[in-house]
Every structure is written in structure tokens, then in C-alpha cells.
Amino acid sequence: MENENVTAQELLEVIKDTEQTTTIDYCGMKIQVKNYLFPADMFGFVSDVVSLCFDEDTGAYHPDVKDFAIRCETIEKYTGIKLPDDMDERCRLAYESKLVDAIEDVADFKQMNAIHIAINSALQHKASQSIEQLNLRMGAIASAFEELENKLTDMFSGVDTGDLAKLTQVVANGGFDEGRLVDEFVKRRNDTKGGTVEG
């Protein structure tokens, strides 16, 4: 094969003079835009968008945040312009300005498309993980209720509802003390076992 003698270094030499940025004229301002992102920025772009789409505390997915997050990351990652912390100002820059459109006109289309595909895949993966975690928590809750039901069944097995009603009546008649309660309960249990329950 003829390509065996070509090295990666030689390929890099061919593209070393390729422009890595393009200067755009945006509303009278000169802004440098990266034509493509290096891996750290590309991976950061995907990661930042995905994390913004999920609530930190609840893990809830907010699909309405996705487009906004992508627009903000496009500005920050491709220009290095730090957007303000104020969400209203951020929103105005992301949607009212045409800066994102101007960036997309010069940025590498194939890479931007790959970033969008990666974001969608990562969101789907994280949403699936959230569902799995929710299912595990629901399973744990169901198991806890089942265990509680079994303990209550064991605790009240052999106690008939008539005994409980009489016991409740003793408590309701005042004069409640623990000793009397235990004595009355034992008396009623013995009477029931002997077959002579008195009302």
C-alpha cells in the first residue's frame, strides 16, 4: 500500500497553516471565532449542556433548557467570550443577538453536527440512568412496605379483633396505666383461650 510511508507528522505539516480562527465583523465589532474546537472544549461543550439540562437536587430532566444551553456554549466555546451570570442577560445574548448564527456560519459544520449528536446521545443515556435510579428507589420503597406489612402481620397474628376492641375500650374508659393494660390484655387472652370471654 502506498500510504505506509506517510506519517501523522507529515499530515499535520500539510494542515499547519490552515486558519484555526476566523475574524467576523459583528455589529461593528471584530470577534475571533474558532473554526473548530479541540477535544477538551468539544467534550466540555457536551458535558456542560447535559449537566445544565438536569436538576442537581432532583435529577429531573429539563428539555426546555437544551437549546438555551447549546446557544450559550456555542458563544463561550467558539469565541472565549464569558457570558454574564445574569440569566436574563444571557438569554438576550443567546437569542436576541445574531452572534450564534454568525458563529455557526464559520465554525466547522461536521464538528458542530457531531457535538449535537453527542449531546443527544448523552442526554438519552443520562435520562435512562435517572429512570433506572428511580426504579431502584421505588423498588426499595416497595420492599420496605412489604417488610413493614410482614412485621405487622407477625405482630398481630393470633390477636383477634374482639380482643383489640376490648383493649381499646379499657384505654378509653380512663384510669389507664400500663400495669392494668397488660393485666387486662392477659386476662382477655386467657379467657379467649379457655373459651369464656365475658363482655
Side-chain angles (χ1 to χ4, degrees), residues 128-140:
S128 295
Q129 283 183 321
S130 294
I131 290 169
E132 286 176 29
Q133 289 173 352
L134 180 62
N135 286 337
L136 287 173
R137 284 193 294 241
M138 294 303 288

Side-chain angles (χ1 to χ4, degrees), residues 43-44 97 111 130 158 197:
F43 301 149
S97 77
Q111 186 184 46
S130 294
V197 177

Side-chain angles (χ1 to χ4, degrees), residues 164-175:
L164 286 177
K166 290 175 184 172
L167 185 58
T168 304
Q169 188 177 20
V170 169
V171 172
N173 286 338

Side-chain angles (χ1 to χ4, degrees), residues 135-152:
N135 286 337
L136 287 173
R137 284 193 294 241
M138 294 303 288
I141 290 169
S143 294
F145 274 120
E146 189 176 323
E147 187 177 330
L148 177 62
E149 180 185 11
N150 291 338
K151 285 182 180 180
L152 289 173

Side-chain angles (χ1 to χ4, degrees), residues 1-7 10:
M1 183 175 220
E2 294 180 30
N3 295 337
E4 291 177 8
N5 295 331
V6 177
T7 66
E10 289 172 319

Side-chain angles (χ1 to χ4, degrees), residues 147-164:
E147 187 177 330
L148 177 62
E149 180 185 11
N150 291 338
K151 285 182 180 180
L152 289 173
T153 300
D154 288 346
M155 185 166 50
F156 289 106
S157 67
V159 175
D160 111 24
T161 54
D163 290 343
L164 286 177

Side-chain angles (χ1 to χ4, degrees), residues 49-144:
V49 170
V50 171
S51 66
L52 287 169
C53 289
F54 285 87
D55 186 285
E56 283 182 28
D57 299 326
T58 65
Y61 173 50
H62 298 284
D64 49 314
V65 175
K66 179 181 160 189
D67 185 65
F68 173 67
I70 287 172
R71 294 176 80 79
C72 290
E73 285 298 307
T74 298
I75 294 170
E76 289 192 342
K77 294 292 192 280
Y78 280 92
T79 67
I81 296 172
K82 174 81 172 98
L83 293 178
D85 291 334
D86 181 273
M87 290 307 267
D88 291 339
E89 291 177 358
R90 225 175 227 269
C91 190
R92 291 192 69 198
L93 287 169
Y95 288 103
E96 286 184 39
S97 77
K98 301 295 181 203
L99 186 53
V100 172
D101 296 334
I103 293 167
E104 289 175 343
D105 285 343
V106 298
D108 184 81
F109 174 78
K110 287 180 183 176
Q111 186 184 46
M112 285 195 104
N113 190 45
I115 289 170
H116 286 251
I117 290 169
I119 288 168
N120 290 334
S121 295
L123 287 172
Q124 187 175 12
H125 176 71
K126 187 158 183 167
S128 295
Q129 283 183 321
S130 294
I131 290 169
E132 286 176 29
Q133 289 173 352
L134 180 62
N135 286 337
L136 287 173
R137 284 193 294 241
M138 294 303 288
I141 290 169
S143 294

